[in-house]
Amino acid sequence: SQQGEEDPQALSIQEGENATMNCSYKTSINNLQWYRQNSGRGLVHLILIRSNEREKHSGRLRVTLDTSKKSSSLLITASRAADTASYFCAFVGRGNNNDMRFGAGTRLTVKP
Amino acid sequence: DSGVTQTPKHLITATGQRVTLRCSPRSGDLSVYWYQQSLDQGLQFLIQYYNGEERAKGNILERFSAQQFPDLHSELNLSSLELGDSALYFCASSAGGYIQYFGAGTRLSVL
């Protein structure tokens, strides 16, 4: 399977703490994205990092990409209760015509 | 609001039946993607259409089929339904780039 793997599967933290989620994949990629899903709702795109980038920021989000290790991490700083959701990495393999594969997701709970 | 509309929101049916899920992409988006999300399989890519033509195929069963119409809306047809087909089905659209915009999903329950 070309699915990604994420860890941890679940993460519970207090408001104000940082949350780090990791994603590993097996194929060569064009880019890697992170999406967020509130319970039972559609996914929402958060950030995209290209294969030639190593780090990217967007507000309280920081994404890193290590293509040599085929891994990425998503850091959410100063978390809020509203950040409670599932977070998925997604990637498109080279030459796969936008066939995007998703990781299994990390379920983040931020306690107020 | 992503701009992607999926109907119906919920669907309850019996084994052996056939259902059609509908998706209207964001205005101007030519690509439509279908995904299945279940507890044990996670989010699985099913199929992609681009401007009416099939572009990529994922883990789509032979009992399932899809099409994209000239007005760019898409339908996913699920037939000979089994209990294991119960899942959330998402449609997403894109303008041809890598970022996909997801609808709210159709929750299918097969009893």
Side-chain angles (χ1 to χ4, degrees):
Chain A
S1 165
Q2 291 184 340
Q3 303 285 117
E5 293 181 6
E6 294 181 60
D7 76 272
Q9 288 187 340
L11 181 60
S12 181
I13 59 175
Q14 294 293 135
E15 226 173 9
E17 293 180 341
N18 295 342
T20 300
M21 290 158 266
N22 303 295
C23 168
S24 61
Y25 55 91
K26 295 179 180 176
T27 186
S28 295
I29 61 172
N30 284 323
N31 61 70
L32 187 138
Q33 302 178 53
W34 286 88
Y35 286 78
R36 165 195 167 124
Q37 183 183 31
N38 284 33
S39 183
R41 310 285 291 274
L43 280 74
V44 175
H45 176 261
L46 295 176
I47 195 167
L48 179 152
I49 185 165
R50 299 185 190 282
S51 59
N52 61 355
E53 297 176 309
R54 292 297 166 258
E55 187 170 313
K56 201 160 182 181
H57 297 255
S58 176
R60 294 183 295 113
L61 306 180
R62 172 178 168 253
V63 169
T64 62
L65 180 64
D66 187 335
T67 53
S68 66
K69 295 181 180 177
K70 290 186 166 52
S71 67
S72 173
S73 67
L74 170 67
L75 169 68
I76 303 175
T77 59
S79 63
R80 305 166 182 168
D83 294 329
T84 294
S86 291
Y87 292 82
F88 295 87
C89 68
F91 53 89
V92 176
R94 288 193 188 281
N96 275 358
N97 277 337
N98 288 353
D99 175 358
M100 194 152 71
R101 304 293 168 137
F102 285 81
T106 293
R107 174 71 190 165
L108 173 66
T109 301
V110 182
K111 299 175 186 174
Chain B
D1 183 4
S2 66
V4 178
T5 303
Q6 286 189 249
T7 56
K9 284 190 168 55
H10 302 277
L11 201 46
I12 301 174
T13 188
T15 54
Q17 296 297 304
R18 172 189 168 95
V19 297
T20 298
L21 313 184
R22 183 187 167 100
C23 170
S24 294
R26 289 190 324 157
S27 177
D29 283 359
L30 298 180
S31 281
V32 169
Y33 309 78
W34 286 98
Y35 294 89
Q36 178 194 58
Q37 186 177 37
S38 59
L39 283 174
D40 56 345
Q41 293 289 323
L43 195 65
Q44 300 280 329
F45 166 71
L46 296 178
I47 197 164
Q48 177 203 357
Y49 278 83
Y50 178 82
N51 202 20
E53 294 192 3
E54 184 183 303
R55 176 65 68 92
K57 221 167 187 176
N59 302 321
I60 188 166
L61 299 173
E62 285 192 13
R63 300 183 285 109
F64 296 179
S65 65
Q67 52 184 336
Q68 186 179 27
F69 295 87
D71 67 352
L72 301 177
H73 91 271
S74 178
E75 293 181 355
L76 178 67
N77 301 297
L78 314 177
S79 61
S80 302
L81 285 167
E82 302 175 357
L83 295 177
D85 298 327
S86 295
L88 266 170
Y89 290 84
F90 288 105
C91 164
S93 73
S94 75
Y98 292 111
I99 295 173
Q100 295 184 18
Y101 298 87
F102 282 74
T106 293
R107 184 175 295 278
L108 174 67
S109 298
V110 182
L111 306 179

